[in-house]
């Protein structure tokens, strides 16, 4: 395995481990408030003109995530990536880029519609 692949694998494993530690506390808070827990945990990194986000969903309900990228230069087009479903216990990788520098990047979440009878 190349060194960059080792780093990527280590990052994913670390993210999953941290999400596993955070999820029980968040679930307990949601149970106390009466609302079911929901939402993936996303880690976003920016390197130069590239954005990468890893989103892990520790909950039994699917989450729809979408990466939004705001470019620093006025002539560089901001982008909203396609929505991606993150199923229970799944991790997805979202990527985007600008021509030059990235000003900001974030991930939005949307609750998936439940289908009765499935």
């Amino acid at each position: 395995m190349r060194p960059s692949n080792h780093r990527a694998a280590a990052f994913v494993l670390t993210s999953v481990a941290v999400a596993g530690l955070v999820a029980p506390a968040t679930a307990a808070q949601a149970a106390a408030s009466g609302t079911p827990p929901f939402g993936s945990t996303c880690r976003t990194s920016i390197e130069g003109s590239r954005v990468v986000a890893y989103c892990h969903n520790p909950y039994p309900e699917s989450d729809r995530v979408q990466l939004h990228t705001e470019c620093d230069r006025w002539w560089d087009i901001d982008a909203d990536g396609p929505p991606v479903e993150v199923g229970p216990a799944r991790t997805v990788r979202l990527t985007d880029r600008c021509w030059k520098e990235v000003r900001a990047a974030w991930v939005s979440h949307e609750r998936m519609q439940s289908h009765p009878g499935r």
Side-chain angles (χ1 to χ4, degrees):
M1 207 183 257
R2 293 182 7 210
S4 60
N5 290 344
H6 284 290
R7 284 193 299 269
F11 176 76
V12 171
L13 291 175
T14 303
S15 297
V16 170
V18 169
L21 295 173
V22 173
T26 308
Q29 291 170 347
S33 69
T35 59
F38 162 77
S40 301
T41 302
C42 297
R43 305 282 186 254
T44 305
S45 65
I46 299 171
E47 281 191 33
S49 63
R50 298 187 184 278
V51 178
V52 177
Y54 290 94
C55 296
H56 175 72
N57 182 9
Y59 301 112
E61 186 177 336
S62 291
D63 182 15
R64 181 177 290 138
V65 295
Q66 185 174 15
L67 179 62
H68 306 276
T69 305
E70 184 178 323
C71 300
D72 197 33
R73 307 291 175 118
W74 65 268
W75 47 263
D76 208 347
I77 299 174
D78 298 342
D80 296 324
V84 177
E85 180 179 350
V86 186
R90 298 285 185 209
T91 301
V92 298
R93 180 178 187 258
L94 308 170
T95 62
D96 199 5
R97 67 180 302 267
C98 294
W99 281 102
K100 291 284 188 177
E101 301 85 9
V102 175
R103 177 176 294 163
W106 65 95
V107 177
S108 62
H109 302 264
E110 181 181 351
R111 190 179 292 270
M112 298 286 293
Q113 297 294 324
S114 59
H115 299 285
R118 281 194 185 179

